[in-house]
PDB file of all heavy atoms in Angstrom:
ATOM      1  N   LEU A   4     105.579  45.045 102.667  1.00 88.00           N
ATOM      2  CA  LEU A   4     105.496  46.397 102.123  1.00 88.00           C
ATOM      3  C   LEU A   4     105.399  46.351 100.603  1.00 88.00           C
ATOM      4  O   LEU A   4     104.575  47.048 100.002  1.00 88.00           O
ATOM      5  CB  LEU A   4     106.709  47.204 102.578  1.00 88.00           C
ATOM      6  CG  LEU A   4     106.763  48.683 102.156  1.00 88.00           C
ATOM      7  CD1 LEU A   4     107.465  49.513 103.220  1.00 88.00           C
ATOM      8  CD2 LEU A   4     107.489  48.861 100.823  1.00 88.00           C
ATOM      9  N   SER A   5     106.232  45.514  99.979  1.00 88.00           N
ATOM     10  CA  SER A   5     106.213  45.429  98.511  1.00 88.00           C
ATOM     11  C   SER A   5     104.854  44.991  98.003  1.00 88.00           C
ATOM     12  O   SER A   5     104.321  45.563  97.039  1.00 88.00           O
ATOM     13  CB  SER A   5     107.290  44.452  98.034  1.00 88.00           C
ATOM     14  OG  SER A   5     108.571  44.871  98.430  1.00 88.00           O
ATOM     15  N   VAL A   8     102.329  47.864  98.353  1.00 87.00           N
ATOM     16  CA  VAL A   8     102.577  48.978  97.437  1.00 87.00           C
ATOM     17  C   VAL A   8     102.210  48.586  96.008  1.00 87.00           C
ATOM     18  O   VAL A   8     101.502  49.321  95.300  1.00 87.00           O
ATOM     19  CB  VAL A   8     104.044  49.431  97.521  1.00 87.00           C
ATOM     20  CG1 VAL A   8     104.330  50.498  96.456  1.00 87.00           C
ATOM     21  CG2 VAL A   8     104.354  49.984  98.901  1.00 87.00           C
ATOM     22  N   TYR A   9     102.680  47.413  95.573  1.00 86.00           N
ATOM     23  CA  TYR A   9     102.388  46.988  94.201  1.00 86.00           C
ATOM     24  C   TYR A   9     100.890  46.781  93.982  1.00 86.00           C
ATOM     25  O   TYR A   9     100.388  46.958  92.872  1.00 86.00           O
ATOM     26  CB  TYR A   9     103.146  45.697  93.884  1.00 86.00           C
ATOM     27  CG  TYR A   9     104.606  45.904  93.547  1.00 86.00           C
ATOM     28  CD1 TYR A   9     105.594  45.155  94.170  1.00 86.00           C
ATOM     29  CD2 TYR A   9     104.995  46.842  92.593  1.00 86.00           C
ATOM     30  CE1 TYR A   9     106.938  45.327  93.863  1.00 86.00           C
ATOM     31  CE2 TYR A   9     106.325  47.041  92.276  1.00 86.00           C
ATOM     32  CZ  TYR A   9     107.301  46.276  92.916  1.00 86.00           C
ATOM     33  OH  TYR A   9     108.613  46.472  92.608  1.00 86.00           O
ATOM     34  N   SER A  14     102.923  52.518  91.783  1.00 81.00           N
ATOM     35  CA  SER A  14     104.332  52.703  92.126  1.00 81.00           C
ATOM     36  C   SER A  14     105.223  51.845  91.257  1.00 81.00           C
ATOM     37  O   SER A  14     104.879  50.721  90.884  1.00 81.00           O
ATOM     38  CB  SER A  14     104.570  52.356  93.608  1.00 81.00           C
ATOM     39  OG  SER A  14     103.769  53.162  94.449  1.00 81.00           O
ATOM     40  N   SER A  15     106.411  52.389  90.960  1.00 87.00           N
ATOM     41  CA  SER A  15     107.401  51.658  90.179  1.00 87.00           C
ATOM     42  C   SER A  15     108.322  50.878  91.108  1.00 87.00           C
ATOM     43  O   SER A  15     108.267  51.012  92.337  1.00 87.00           O
ATOM     44  CB  SER A  15     108.236  52.643  89.347  1.00 87.00           C
ATOM     45  OG  SER A  15     109.005  53.480  90.207  1.00 87.00           O
ATOM     46  N   GLU A  16     109.194  50.081  90.509  1.00 89.00           N
ATOM     47  CA  GLU A  16     110.168  49.319  91.299  1.00 89.00           C
ATOM     48  C   GLU A  16     111.092  50.258  92.063  1.00 89.00           C
ATOM     49  O   GLU A  16     111.472  49.986  93.209  1.00 89.00           O
ATOM     50  CB  GLU A  16     110.974  48.406  90.365  1.00 89.00           C
ATOM     51  CG  GLU A  16     111.919  47.466  91.097  1.00 89.00           C
ATOM     52  CD  GLU A  16     112.600  46.489  90.154  1.00 89.00           C
ATOM     53  OE1 GLU A  16     112.060  46.252  89.048  1.00 89.00           O
ATOM     54  OE2 GLU A  16     113.668  45.967  90.515  1.00 89.00           O
ATOM     55  N   ALA A  17     111.465  51.390  91.427  1.00 89.00           N
ATOM     56  CA  ALA A  17     112.323  52.367  92.100  1.00 89.00           C
ATOM     57  C   ALA A  17     111.601  52.997  93.293  1.00 89.00           C
ATOM     58  O   ALA A  17     112.216  53.260  94.330  1.00 89.00           O
ATOM     59  CB  ALA A  17     112.758  53.451  91.112  1.00 89.00           C
ATOM     60  N   ASP A  18     110.299  53.235  93.156  1.00 91.00           N
ATOM     61  CA  ASP A  18     109.512  53.773  94.272  1.00 91.00           C
ATOM     62  C   ASP A  18     109.522  52.797  95.452  1.00 91.00           C
ATOM     63  O   ASP A  18     109.683  53.188  96.609  1.00 91.00           O
ATOM     64  CB  ASP A  18     108.066  54.021  93.845  1.00 91.00           C
ATOM     65  CG  ASP A  18     107.948  55.138  92.813  1.00 91.00           C
ATOM     66  OD1 ASP A  18     108.902  55.923  92.674  1.00 91.00           O
ATOM     67  OD2 ASP A  18     106.899  55.217  92.147  1.00 91.00           O
ATOM     68  N   VAL A  19     109.339  51.513  95.154  1.00 92.00           N
ATOM     69  CA  VAL A  19     109.291  50.497  96.212  1.00 92.00           C
ATOM     70  C   VAL A  19     110.631  50.413  96.935  1.00 92.00           C
ATOM     71  O   VAL A  19     110.686  50.307  98.161  1.00 92.00           O
ATOM     72  CB  VAL A  19     108.899  49.128  95.624  1.00 92.00           C
ATOM     73  CG1 VAL A  19     108.998  48.034  96.687  1.00 92.00           C
ATOM     74  CG2 VAL A  19     107.485  49.179  95.062  1.00 92.00           C
ATOM     75  N   GLU A  20     111.720  50.473  96.175  1.00 91.00           N
ATOM     76  CA  GLU A  20     113.042  50.435  96.812  1.00 91.00           C
ATOM     77  C   GLU A  20     113.226  51.642  97.739  1.00 91.00           C
ATOM     78  O   GLU A  20     113.756  51.515  98.848  1.00 91.00           O
ATOM     79  CB  GLU A  20     114.147  50.423  95.748  1.00 91.00           C
ATOM     80  CG  GLU A  20     115.547  50.363  96.366  1.00 91.00           C
ATOM     81  CD  GLU A  20     116.649  50.470  95.329  1.00 91.00           C
ATOM     82  OE1 GLU A  20     116.331  50.621  94.127  1.00 91.00           O
ATOM     83  OE2 GLU A  20     117.835  50.425  95.722  1.00 91.00           O
ATOM     84  N   TRP A  21     112.781  52.809  97.300  1.00 93.00           N
ATOM     85  CA  TRP A  21     112.889  54.025  98.118  1.00 93.00           C
ATOM     86  C   TRP A  21     112.091  53.865  99.416  1.00 93.00           C
ATOM     87  O   TRP A  21     112.577  54.191 100.506  1.00 93.00           O
ATOM     88  CB  TRP A  21     112.369  55.214  97.312  1.00 93.00           C
ATOM     89  CG  TRP A  21     112.698  56.560  97.900  1.00 93.00           C
ATOM     90  CD1 TRP A  21     112.005  57.223  98.873  1.00 93.00           C
ATOM     91  CD2 TRP A  21     113.800  57.404  97.553  1.00 93.00           C
ATOM     92  NE1 TRP A  21     112.599  58.432  99.158  1.00 93.00           N
ATOM     93  CE2 TRP A  21     113.712  58.573  98.360  1.00 93.00           C
ATOM     94  CE3 TRP A  21     114.841  57.307  96.652  1.00 93.00           C
ATOM     95  CZ2 TRP A  21     114.635  59.605  98.273  1.00 93.00           C
ATOM     96  CZ3 TRP A  21     115.761  58.338  96.550  1.00 93.00           C
ATOM     97  CH2 TRP A  21     115.651  59.482  97.366  1.00 93.00           C
ATOM     98  N   LEU A  22     110.877  53.350  99.289  1.00 94.00           N
ATOM     99  CA  LEU A  22     110.033  53.158 100.462  1.00 94.00           C
ATOM    100  C   LEU A  22     110.622  52.103 101.399  1.00 94.00           C
ATOM    101  O   LEU A  22     110.536  52.230 102.625  1.00 94.00           O
ATOM    102  CB  LEU A  22     108.623  52.751 100.026  1.00 94.00           C
ATOM    103  CG  LEU A  22     107.818  53.834  99.288  1.00 94.00           C
ATOM    104  CD1 LEU A  22     106.557  53.237  98.679  1.00 94.00           C
ATOM    105  CD2 LEU A  22     107.454  54.975 100.240  1.00 94.00           C
ATOM    106  N   HIS A  23     111.231  51.068 100.839  1.00 92.00           N
ATOM    107  CA  HIS A  23     111.883  50.039 101.657  1.00 92.00           C
ATOM    108  C   HIS A  23     113.028  50.651 102.466  1.00 92.00           C
ATOM    109  O   HIS A  23     113.192  50.350 103.658  1.00 92.00           O
ATOM    110  CB  HIS A  23     112.413  48.919 100.767  1.00 92.00           C
ATOM    111  CG  HIS A  23     111.519  47.714 100.713  1.00 92.00           C
ATOM    112  ND1 HIS A  23     111.213  46.959 101.818  1.00 92.00           N
ATOM    113  CD2 HIS A  23     110.869  47.135  99.669  1.00 92.00           C
ATOM    114  CE1 HIS A  23     110.417  45.969 101.470  1.00 92.00           C
ATOM    115  NE2 HIS A  23     110.186  46.062 100.168  1.00 92.00           N
ATOM    116  N   ARG A  24     113.832  51.484 101.816  1.00 92.00           N
ATOM    117  CA  ARG A  24     114.948  52.127 102.503  1.00 92.00           C
ATOM    118  C   ARG A  24     114.433  52.998 103.641  1.00 92.00           C
ATOM    119  O   ARG A  24     114.986  52.995 104.743  1.00 92.00           O
ATOM    120  CB  ARG A  24     115.752  52.976 101.524  1.00 92.00           C
ATOM    121  CG  ARG A  24     116.605  52.195 100.546  1.00 92.00           C
ATOM    122  CD  ARG A  24     117.760  51.501 101.272  1.00 92.00           C
ATOM    123  NE  ARG A  24     118.741  51.026 100.333  1.00 92.00           N
ATOM    124  CZ  ARG A  24     119.870  51.666 100.018  1.00 92.00           C
ATOM    125  NH1 ARG A  24     120.143  52.825 100.592  1.00 92.00           N
ATOM    126  NH2 ARG A  24     120.706  51.155  99.153  1.00 92.00           N
ATOM    127  N   LEU A  25     113.375  53.760 103.370  1.00 94.00           N
ATOM    128  CA  LEU A  25     112.821  54.644 104.390  1.00 94.00           C
ATOM    129  C   LEU A  25     112.236  53.832 105.546  1.00 94.00           C
ATOM    130  O   LEU A  25     112.451  54.164 106.720  1.00 94.00           O
ATOM    131  CB  LEU A  25     111.753  55.549 103.772  1.00 94.00           C
ATOM    132  CG  LEU A  25     111.142  56.591 104.716  1.00 94.00           C
ATOM    133  CD1 LEU A  25     112.219  57.508 105.281  1.00 94.00           C
ATOM    134  CD2 LEU A  25     110.083  57.402 103.985  1.00 94.00           C
ATOM    135  N   ALA A  26     111.515  52.767 105.226  1.00 93.00           N
ATOM    136  CA  ALA A  26     110.950  51.919 106.279  1.00 93.00           C
ATOM    137  C   ALA A  26     112.052  51.274 107.110  1.00 93.00           C
ATOM    138  O   ALA A  26     111.878  51.045 108.316  1.00 93.00           O
ATOM    139  CB  ALA A  26     110.059  50.844 105.657  1.00 93.00           C
ATOM    140  N   GLY A  27     113.195  50.998 106.483  1.00 91.00           N
ATOM    141  CA  GLY A  27     114.322  50.438 107.225  1.00 91.00           C
ATOM    142  C   GLY A  27     114.845  51.369 108.297  1.00 91.00           C
ATOM    143  O   GLY A  27     115.431  50.919 109.288  1.00 91.00           O
ATOM    144  N   ILE A 113     106.727  62.026 101.130  1.00 97.00           N
ATOM    145  CA  ILE A 113     107.913  61.221 100.810  1.00 97.00           C
ATOM    146  C   ILE A 113     108.245  61.487  99.351  1.00 97.00           C
ATOM    147  O   ILE A 113     107.525  61.050  98.441  1.00 97.00           O
ATOM    148  CB  ILE A 113     107.638  59.731 101.044  1.00 97.00           C
ATOM    149  CG1 ILE A 113     107.233  59.479 102.501  1.00 97.00           C
ATOM    150  CG2 ILE A 113     108.865  58.899 100.686  1.00 97.00           C
ATOM    151  CD1 ILE A 113     106.761  58.063 102.761  1.00 97.00           C
ATOM    152  N   ARG A 115     110.716  61.219  96.123  1.00 93.00           N
ATOM    153  CA  ARG A 115     111.814  60.463  95.517  1.00 93.00           C
ATOM    154  C   ARG A 115     112.487  61.320  94.467  1.00 93.00           C
ATOM    155  O   ARG A 115     111.841  61.824  93.551  1.00 93.00           O
ATOM    156  CB  ARG A 115     111.309  59.172  94.873  1.00 93.00           C
ATOM    157  CG  ARG A 115     112.451  58.327  94.292  1.00 93.00           C
ATOM    158  CD  ARG A 115     111.971  56.983  93.811  1.00 93.00           C
ATOM    159  NE  ARG A 115     111.255  57.068  92.554  1.00 93.00           N
ATOM    160  CZ  ARG A 115     111.846  57.098  91.352  1.00 93.00           C
ATOM    161  NH1 ARG A 115     113.174  57.093  91.262  1.00 93.00           N
ATOM    162  NH2 ARG A 115     111.115  57.149  90.272  1.00 93.00           N
ATOM    163  N   ILE A 125     105.862  60.137  96.434  1.00 95.00           N
ATOM    164  CA  ILE A 125     105.451  58.761  96.174  1.00 95.00           C
ATOM    165  C   ILE A 125     104.672  58.190  97.362  1.00 95.00           C
ATOM    166  O   ILE A 125     104.183  57.059  97.299  1.00 95.00           O
ATOM    167  CB  ILE A 125     106.671  57.858  95.888  1.00 95.00           C
ATOM    168  CG1 ILE A 125     107.643  57.855  97.081  1.00 95.00           C
ATOM    169  CG2 ILE A 125     107.369  58.291  94.616  1.00 95.00           C
ATOM    170  CD1 ILE A 125     108.792  56.877  96.919  1.00 95.00           C
ATOM    171  N   PRO A 164     115.738  58.785 102.200  1.00 92.00           N
ATOM    172  CA  PRO A 164     116.999  58.085 102.453  1.00 92.00           C
ATOM    173  C   PRO A 164     117.996  58.274 101.320  1.00 92.00           C
ATOM    174  O   PRO A 164     117.618  58.661 100.206  1.00 92.00           O
ATOM    175  CB  PRO A 164     116.565  56.618 102.549  1.00 92.00           C
ATOM    176  CG  PRO A 164     115.356  56.533 101.668  1.00 92.00           C
ATOM    177  CD  PRO A 164     114.643  57.840 101.849  1.00 92.00           C
ATOM    178  N   ASP A 165     119.261  57.977 101.618  1.00 88.00           N
ATOM    179  CA  ASP A 165     120.335  58.094 100.635  1.00 88.00           C
ATOM    180  C   ASP A 165     120.633  56.700 100.097  1.00 88.00           C
ATOM    181  O   ASP A 165     121.079  55.816 100.842  1.00 88.00           O
ATOM    182  CB  ASP A 165     121.583  58.691 101.290  1.00 88.00           C
ATOM    183  CG  ASP A 165     122.616  59.112 100.256  1.00 88.00           C
ATOM    184  OD1 ASP A 165     122.750  58.413  99.236  1.00 88.00           O
ATOM    185  OD2 ASP A 165     123.291  60.136 100.481  1.00 88.00           O
ATOM    186  N   LEU A 166     120.374  56.492  98.810  1.00 84.00           N
ATOM    187  CA  LEU A 166     120.544  55.166  98.224  1.00 84.00           C
ATOM    188  C   LEU A 166     122.004  54.762  98.089  1.00 84.00           C
ATOM    189  O   LEU A 166     122.294  53.601  97.777  1.00 84.00           O
ATOM    190  CB  LEU A 166     119.862  55.102  96.851  1.00 84.00           C
ATOM    191  CG  LEU A 166     118.344  55.314  96.841  1.00 84.00           C
ATOM    192  CD1 LEU A 166     117.787  55.030  95.457  1.00 84.00           C
ATOM    193  CD2 LEU A 166     117.654  54.439  97.872  1.00 84.00           C
ATOM    194  N   THR A 167     122.944  55.701  98.326  1.00 82.00           N
ATOM    195  CA  THR A 167     124.362  55.330  98.268  1.00 82.00           C
ATOM    196  C   THR A 167     124.842  54.729  99.582  1.00 82.00           C
ATOM    197  O   THR A 167     125.950  54.209  99.660  1.00 82.00           O
ATOM    198  CB  THR A 167     125.232  56.561  97.938  1.00 82.00           C
ATOM    199  OG1 THR A 167     125.123  57.521  99.009  1.00 82.00           O
ATOM    200  CG2 THR A 167     124.795  57.198  96.638  1.00 82.00           C
ATOM    201  N   ALA A 168     124.007  54.798 100.622  1.00 81.00           N
ATOM    202  CA  ALA A 168     124.385  54.238 101.922  1.00 81.00           C
ATOM    203  C   ALA A 168     124.337  52.719 101.861  1.00 81.00           C
ATOM    204  O   ALA A 168     123.632  52.141 101.027  1.00 81.00           O
ATOM    205  CB  ALA A 168     123.445  54.761 103.011  1.00 81.00           C
ATOM    206  N   THR A 170     123.240  49.019 102.277  1.00 66.00           N
ATOM    207  CA  THR A 170     121.872  48.521 102.372  1.00 66.00           C
ATOM    208  C   THR A 170     121.699  47.473 103.460  1.00 66.00           C
ATOM    209  O   THR A 170     120.618  47.291 103.987  1.00 66.00           O
ATOM    210  CB  THR A 170     121.432  47.905 101.038  1.00 66.00           C
ATOM    211  OG1 THR A 170     122.385  46.907 100.662  1.00 66.00           O
ATOM    212  CG2 THR A 170     121.361  48.977  99.966  1.00 66.00           C
TER     213      THR A 170
END
Side-chain angles (χ1 to χ4, degrees):
L4 183 148
S5 300
V8 174
Y9 281 130
S14 301
S15 65
E16 186 175 338
D18 293 343
V19 174
E20 181 185 2
W21 193 276
L22 292 169
H23 261 298
R24 287 291 193 98
L25 183 59
I113 301 172
R115 183 173 75 83
I125 59 174
D165 192 324
L166 298 188
T167 64
T170 55

